[in-house]
Amino acid sequence: MNPQSVAAVVVFLAVYSLIITEKVHRTVAAMTGASVLLLTGIVPWSSAKGYIDLDTILLLAGMMVVVNVARDSGMFEYVAIKTAKLAGGSPIKVLLLFSGVTAVVSAFLDNVTTVLLLTPMLIYITRRMGVDPVPFLLSEVFASNIGGTATLIGDPPNIMIGSAAKLSFNDFVENMAPIALITLGVTIALIFLFYRHSFRSSSGGSVMLIDEREAIKDPALLKKSLAVLSFVIFAFFFHDLLGIEPAAVALIGASILLLWSGIPPEKALGKVEWATLFFFGGLFVLVGGLVQTGVIDRLASIVTSNVHSEAQAIVMISGFSAAASAVVDNIPFTATMIPLIKAMGAQFNTYPLWWALSLGACLGGNGTAIGASANVVVLGIAYREGIRITFKDFLKVGLVVMVSTVGVGTLLLLIRYGGLI
Amino acid sequence: MDVFSSMISRKFRNIAGERYEEIMNFYREFLLSEEEMHVPEVSSILMPIDGSVHVIPEKVYRLLSAYEGVSILLLYVIDMNVLRIVEGTLGKMEAEIFKGKELKRADEFLRAVEVKLSGFRISLRTEVIIGHKGDDVVRRAREHDMIIVSKKYGSEGARSLRISPLVFRIVHSIAKPVVVY
């Protein structure tokens, strides 16, 4: 390796370790790493612009505007309370309904927002029922990560994969949604087996005293948000036919909502998570450094010389992605894997490999407490509410869920693309 | 705090930011606090009704839906004193006609409420009595854990009042939770 390659790898690994430990905010770490590469000329500015995937960043930005404006209407709190009331006092119903709602909402909105809104309600209802909240919280985490796997916009790795591989929303629905549905069933069954004594019947009756309509702060905004969200989801399903990129769909939705609701743009755009967008920007430059210096090509040739079929590649990518995503944030991991899989395109049909990456990157996050943002958020809220789920507690269940769901998902991919049957 | 806990805490702060506090503040506006969660056990509810009560609002039905498995007594009270006055001034026959009309209204009203409550997982009883609207309710309240009463109950003679004096008397006379709608 030449000195430039070594420097790119060192910067990359240093940023990765900072992201894992979060000693420095992950955005600051990624931006600093990118700055070093730009300053040293390892990534020239003219190339950096090409490495930054604007499709991903603009899709995220557009969805952030839509979701955050819709959030102000009280829509999601309404959904949380309605779910709690539908479940009544049955712990099994709470488990099934909250897992189902979390998975569906996570498939269309970002996982962090979903769990931020649903977790306080879940803790509240389990306290009212007098049951152990831990299995319900773990189930919510897993459901959020699994739901995010189902669609192009469900989880940032999918947005990145969709943009890089030019996969449509329907490609994801066709390939990943069935896997998400089956693995969700597997996960709920596992949670039930692990915590079967926690589901004794109880009474959550007083939850019925809450009037979910009280949660709606702005009925007019609620109607407008629902209409725009429905339009955006509808347009995602047909973006391929209409010839509109997913990022454009999200931005059109955001523009319509801003125009229709009359919310000042300063307020709406103030809620865009700029830190996350800059995190992506920094990461794209960091990974660009590895591409620029030929590190990715060398890695790809090592992989392709040891892998002899697409079936092997599917198993290797899903397994490795899951293991890595359990430890490292799946966003930088996916950013690294994308050019690697692209480089493998010379030898293999990469179409099934993208699904293996999505599967591993999204479901691998279930393995450990720090594997995905949703895990950290739920555990953080639980801790603030006096519920202690340690790293080890999470690991015991998370690893089993991760291995089972990635195993089942890989098997399904092998049946479909690996010629297993 | 172990190394992983502090790592999770740092990551939570960086990922959730101020959004968590914002959401929790909103939830606090209408979710009960730990202290407020200790709701008295309610297994039977008394709902006195009379001719002044024309409708039971939806919010009362929503409240009742919270008490799964509870037994509810809908007690329709026809005022004995009014019957006596009618009989004393207009005669026995008029009093019988008046009583018949009141019983018919009571029956129709209770049936309508029964239909509304038919989907609820509760045990429902209805009863029509001719008696004292205040004393009888206070006496029967001893057999129940909670009373739900309209603010118009017993206000046939003074419909302009915002809350019936009889309801005040009931609330003051019994040491049970009373919901006034």
Side-chain angles (χ1 to χ4, degrees):
Chain A
M1 283 213 289
N2 58 39
Q4 283 211 321
S5 303
V6 173
V9 171
V10 168
V11 172
F12 179 80
L13 292 177
V15 171
Y16 250 56
S17 58
L18 286 175
I19 290 171
I20 293 172
T21 57
E22 202 94 12
K23 288 276 184 198
V24 177
H25 193 295
R26 58 180 185 163
T27 304
V28 178
M31 285 178 70
T32 309
S35 303
V36 171
L37 295 182
L38 289 169
L39 268 173
T40 52
I42 294 172
V43 178
W45 179 246
S46 54
S47 310
K49 286 183 277 184
Y51 291 127
I52 295 171
D53 182 358
L54 272 183
D55 283 354
T56 296
I57 291 175
L58 293 177
L59 174 51
L60 283 166
M63 287 308 290
M64 282 171 187
V65 173
V66 174
V67 171
N68 283 314
V69 171
R71 194 160 70 83
D72 278 346
S73 70
M75 178 200 294
F76 303 114
E77 287 87 351
Y78 177 90
V79 171
I81 297 167
K82 194 79 187 163
T83 308
K85 287 178 82 168
L86 277 174
S90 159
I92 291 288
K93 273 193 199 168
V94 171
L95 180 79
L96 292 173
L97 274 170
F98 265 89
S99 303
V101 168
T102 305
V104 171
V105 177
S106 292
F108 296 101
L109 310 180
D110 75 282
N111 296 357
V112 169
T113 303
T114 307
V115 295
L116 265 173
L117 288 154
L118 289 172
T119 308
M121 196 61 219
L122 187 56
I123 291 174
Y124 183 77
I125 188 173
T126 50
R127 278 188 171 153
R128 303 300 285 265
M129 292 193 305
V131 294
D132 178 10
V134 173
F136 299 91
L137 293 171
L138 291 179
S139 179
E140 192 198 9
V141 167
F142 301 142
S144 177
N145 292 327
I146 291 170
T149 316
T151 69
L152 170 77
I153 53 166
D155 214 1
N158 282 4
I159 298 177
M160 295 157 82
I161 292 167
S163 168
K166 300 288 167 223
L167 297 168
S168 71
F169 189 86
N170 287 341
D171 285 330
F172 273 90
V173 172
E174 196 187 310
N175 286 280
M176 297 310 288
I179 292 176
L181 193 66
I182 293 166
T183 51
L184 181 65
V186 170
T187 303
I188 293 173
L190 284 171
I191 290 284
F192 188 75
L193 280 175
F194 269 109
Y195 294 96
R196 56 191 171 279
H197 301 301
S198 301
F199 299 105
R200 66 186 193 282
S201 65
S202 64
S203 169
S206 46
V207 173
M208 309 302 271
L209 293 170
I210 307 167
D211 186 353
E212 64 274 22
R213 289 175 303 184
E214 293 287 320
I216 299 168
K217 285 181 275 189
D218 187 340
L221 181 62
L222 175 78
K223 283 178 194 155
K224 289 168 189 171
S225 306
L226 268 176
V228 172
L229 260 178
S230 309
F231 161 77
V232 168
I233 291 169
F234 177 82
F236 274 131
F237 276 106
F238 295 100
H239 79 90
D240 218 14
L241 278 176
L242 299 168
I244 306 171
E245 287 299 310
V249 170
L251 290 174
I252 291 166
S255 311
I256 294 172
L257 193 53
L258 286 178
L259 189 69
W260 197 10
S261 66
I263 288 177
E266 293 85 355
K267 189 183 169 197
L269 298 176
K271 290 187 174 179
V272 168
E273 294 149 49
W274 295 106
T276 305
L277 300 183
F278 276 91
F279 174 55
F280 274 86
L283 277 176
F284 287 133
V285 175
L286 274 172
V287 176
L290 298 181
V291 176
Q292 184 87 18
T293 53
V295 175
I296 291 289
D297 279 340
R298 269 194 291 278
L299 268 176
S301 67
I302 294 168
V303 173
T304 48
S305 63
N306 287 293
V307 175
H308 308 291
S309 68
E310 272 156 25
Q312 269 187 10
I314 288 172
V315 175
M316 189 208 73
I317 290 172
S318 60
F320 176 63
S321 304
S325 293
V327 184
V328 189
D329 192 327
N330 58 13
I331 295 169
F333 177 76
T334 307
T336 316
M337 286 298 284
I338 283 172
L340 188 69
I341 292 180
K342 272 187 178 171
M344 287 166 74
Q347 190 169 332
F348 300 116
N349 167 22
T350 53
Y351 188 74
L353 306 189
W354 294 118
W355 307 127
L357 175 61
S358 165
L359 180 79
C362 296
L363 298 186
N366 281 333
T368 69
I370 54 162
S373 298
N375 313 10
V376 171
V377 170
V378 172
L379 264 57
I381 295 176
Y383 187 79
R384 276 160 177 74
E385 296 295 318
I387 303 158
R388 192 122 166 83
I389 305 172
T390 63
F391 189 85
K392 208 170 140 190
D393 293 337
F394 191 101
L395 196 69
K396 277 188 220 160
V397 188
L399 270 185
V400 176
V401 168
M402 183 192 91
V403 171
S404 311
T405 54
V406 174
V408 169
T410 307
L411 197 66
L412 292 169
L413 284 180
L414 287 175
I415 290 169
R416 191 160 180 183
Y417 297 108
L420 194 67
I421 292 177
Chain B
M1 197 186 272
D2 61 55
V3 62
F4 288 114
S5 297
S6 53
M7 192 193 292
I8 290 166
S9 177
R10 280 198 300 272
K11 280 179 179 279
F12 176 78
R13 199 178 50 238
N14 289 340
I15 294 168
E18 288 168 4
R19 282 190 291 167
Y20 169 65
E21 284 307 322
E22 224 177 90
I23 289 165
M24 282 312 288
N25 282 340
F26 177 61
Y27 271 125
R28 276 185 205 113
E29 284 176 23
F30 56 89
L31 294 185
L32 299 178
S33 67
E34 284 287 337
E35 187 188 8
E36 292 162 343
M37 278 186 192
H38 298 288
V39 181
E41 190 72 30
V42 173
S43 61
S44 66
I45 298 172
L46 173 67
M47 287 182 70
I49 296 158
D50 72 344
S52 325
V53 183
H54 299 294
V55 67
I56 294 179
E58 279 303 317
K59 61 184 176 187
V60 174
Y61 291 110
R62 280 202 298 278
L63 173 73
L64 290 174
S65 71
Y67 293 98
E68 212 169 83
V70 76
S71 86
I72 299 174
L73 172 63
L74 292 173
L75 183 70
Y76 196 104
V77 188
I78 298 170
D79 199 328
M80 185 187 274
N81 290 332
V82 176
L83 265 181
R84 277 192 191 138
I85 293 166
V86 173
E87 194 178 331
T89 54
L90 301 172
K92 203 166 183 177
M93 194 189 263
E94 282 301 320
E96 280 304 312
I97 294 169
F98 177 79
K99 185 178 156 188
K101 278 183 184 168
E102 281 292 296
L103 285 170
K104 187 168 175 270
R105 188 202 176 266
D107 187 51
E108 283 170 0
F109 191 91
L110 292 175
R111 269 176 206 231
V113 180
E114 271 183 302
V115 169
K116 287 282 282 183
L117 290 172
S118 57
F120 291 43
R121 287 159 75 177
I122 51 166
S123 138
L124 181 68
R125 285 187 301 129
T126 59
E127 195 179 325
V128 182
I129 60 164
I130 296 168
H132 299 286
K133 289 186 177 180
D135 294 344
D136 280 326
V137 169
V138 171
R139 186 172 51 78
R140 301 289 292 268
R142 289 186 203 119
E143 304 150 22
H144 297 85
D145 302 318
M146 186 161 86
I147 289 81
I148 301 178
V149 62
S150 164
K151 62 186 175 188
K152 294 287 178 193
Y153 177 78
S155 65
E156 278 163 303
R159 284 169 194 265
S160 59
L161 291 172
R162 281 185 184 273
I163 185 158
S164 153
L166 204 61
V167 172
F168 272 129
R169 215 180 93 203
I170 291 170
V171 171
H172 285 171
S173 306
I174 54 177
K176 298 276 171 72
V178 182
V179 176
V180 180
Y181 60 89

